[in-house]
Amino acid sequence: MSIFVIGYYAALIAASCLAAYYKKHGAFMLLFSLTLVSFIIGIIGGVPALRAVTTFAGALALAAGTSYAFKEFLILISKPALAKELRTAPLTASFGMFVIFTYAIAAIFAPWIAPHGESEVISSAFAPADENMLLGADQLGRDIFSRIIYGARNSVGLALVATLLAFFMGAFAGLMAAVKGGWFDQLMGRLADVIMSIPSLIFALLMLSIFGTNLGVIVIVVAVIYSPRVFRLTRAVAGNIVVMDYIEAAKLRGEGDWYLIRREILPNSTAPLVAEFGLEFCFVFLLIAGLSFLGLGIQPPTADWGSMVRENATLISFGDITPLIPAAAIALLTVAVNFVVDWMLFRSSGLKEQ
């Protein structure tokens, strides 16, 4: 038995005993469960499997420590009311906020972070990684790492703009439908039903094939596809509010529709709408990445994560996982946003009761 195996199990058992001695039941269950799982995996896979488990556990521990430190940093720099809310955030939400913050920094400061230009050819096609290229070169000899950094600006930025437009269109239509009712409510509802009945990817491919693939068309098409989702949620939330007594009192005072929306309805529907914005961003982000992978999203030579997966897919046949890095970047941001959205939904008392 190797020294690594002896040290691995000794460290786990010692940590489990310390957790049990200090009555840290959560930590004890986690550590002792890891010990049992490692014992089974070690029997089946041997030392290589244990090394893989160690690497995975170390990565989780590093992510947890980073998330905790980032949460404490946010608490220290926040106002007391916000700091009180942040103290209740679980590690998953803290991890999500840290990932979102990292992506935002990469997107904003991409020209200073990336060692090479977005479309700069610096090597031969599919050149391996070296001191000048951290992840090697793509099919044209461009630095993959630099293009991933620029992709954070292009992919995330375009998805954010499309989400904002979809959210504005859907929320405005939903609020107006709830306030006005009647034929306007019916018209908006049926229009939303028609759009939602068409598969989103097919609808996007059809519209982009007709109107072209410039960024403006992509934003408008994606916004039209996802605004009905926002409309239906906003209409449902606002519909429960417009029947309240204080809304009737405001109408009797002669207040107009805009006053009711701005001063009475929106302040009482903020929590579910903010959570929906996060979910909507995930859907939009994945759709734009899928369109780029199919060649109808962000066009070359602009760096985009979806198109980068398609352009470098040949490397997978040679055992190189580099094309999976932009795919992992897409998945990581989606998971991070969902972590934050889950926490925000948990904080919403109305949604917890439902």
Side-chain angles (χ1 to χ4, degrees):
M1 185 177 293
S2 67
I3 297 177
F4 168 77
V5 175
I6 297 175
Y8 177 80
Y9 284 114
L12 280 180
I13 294 173
S16 300
C17 293
L18 286 175
Y21 179 80
Y22 288 104
K23 300 186 183 303
K24 303 294 183 180
H25 301 296
F28 170 76
M29 289 298 297
L30 177 63
L31 291 169
F32 197 69
S33 298
L34 179 60
T35 304
L36 296 178
V37 170
S38 299
F39 181 73
I40 297 174
I41 292 177
I43 294 176
I44 298 174
V47 176
L50 285 182
R51 291 187 185 276
V53 171
T54 304
T55 302
F56 180 72
L60 285 181
L62 178 62
T66 304
S67 303
Y68 180 79
F70 186 71
K71 183 177 77 169
E72 293 299 319
F73 170 76
L74 292 179
I75 291 173
L76 291 176
I77 65 174
S78 301
K79 294 182 179 180
L82 180 58
K84 183 179 179 181
E85 295 290 340
L86 288 173
R87 288 191 180 92
T88 65
L91 280 180
T92 53
S94 303
F95 175 76
M97 289 186 284
F98 175 74
V99 171
I100 294 172
F101 173 78
T102 304
Y103 277 61
I105 293 298
I108 295 172
F109 300 102
W112 293 273
I113 297 176
H116 303 285
E118 180 179 9
S119 304
E120 181 182 358
V121 177
I122 62 172
S123 183
S124 58
F126 299 127
D130 55 25
E131 64 275 5
N132 295 322
M133 298 182 297
L134 183 62
L135 299 176
D138 64 4
Q139 83 283 6
L140 297 179
R142 299 169 297 188
D143 180 30
I144 292 180
F145 176 74
S146 298
R147 288 181 61 79
I148 288 177
I149 297 298
Y150 277 100
R153 166 180 291 187
N154 301 325
S155 302
V156 179
L158 184 64
L160 182 60
V161 172
T163 304
L164 288 171
L165 181 58
F167 203 80
F168 173 79
M169 294 167 54
F172 180 77
L175 292 171
M176 293 300 297
V179 172
K180 289 186 174 299
W183 67 268
F184 184 81
D185 186 13
Q186 292 295 324
L187 177 62
M188 291 293 100
R190 301 297 74 76
L191 181 61
D193 292 339
V194 170
I195 297 176
M196 292 185 68
S197 66
I198 306 173
S200 57
L201 184 58
I202 295 177
F203 184 78
L205 292 175
L206 178 62
M207 292 296 102
L208 292 175
S209 299
I210 296 173
F211 297 105
T213 56
N214 63 74
L215 296 183
V217 173
I218 294 174
V219 169
I220 294 174
V221 169
V222 173
V224 169
I225 290 173
Y226 284 108
S227 57
R229 296 173 54 91
V230 184
F231 166 81
R232 298 190 68 171
L233 175 67
T234 308
R235 175 63 183 86
V237 174
N240 293 329
I241 297 175
V242 294
V243 297
M244 297 294 181
D245 292 339
Y246 59 86
I247 298 293
E248 295 297 328
K251 291 181 179 179
L252 292 175
R253 293 198 310 266
E255 304 293 354
D257 295 340
W258 178 242
Y259 176 89
L260 295 177
I261 292 173
R262 180 171 53 91
R263 299 296 297 273
E264 303 292 351
I265 299 177
L266 272 180
N268 293 286
S269 57
T270 302
L273 291 182
V274 171
E276 176 64 18
F277 181 85
L279 292 175
E280 199 74 13
F281 173 81
C282 292
F283 292 129
V284 170
F285 182 55
L286 291 175
L287 177 61
I288 291 178
L291 291 173
S292 297
F293 180 81
L294 295 175
L296 289 176
I298 301 176
Q299 297 299 304
T302 304
D304 174 75
W305 290 338
S307 60
M308 289 180 65
V309 177
R310 173 175 53 86
E311 293 168 352
N312 299 287
T314 307
L315 293 175
I316 299 179
S317 304
F318 299 96
D320 191 340
I321 64 170
T322 301
L324 299 180
I325 296 177
I330 296 172
L332 180 61
L333 181 59
T334 305
V335 171
V337 173
N338 276 282
F339 279 158
V340 178
V341 169
D342 287 343
W343 172 55
M344 295 174 65
L345 288 174
F346 182 78
R347 289 177 53 246
S348 175
S349 59
L351 293 179
K352 282 194 295 184
E353 293 175 356
Q354 293 176 358

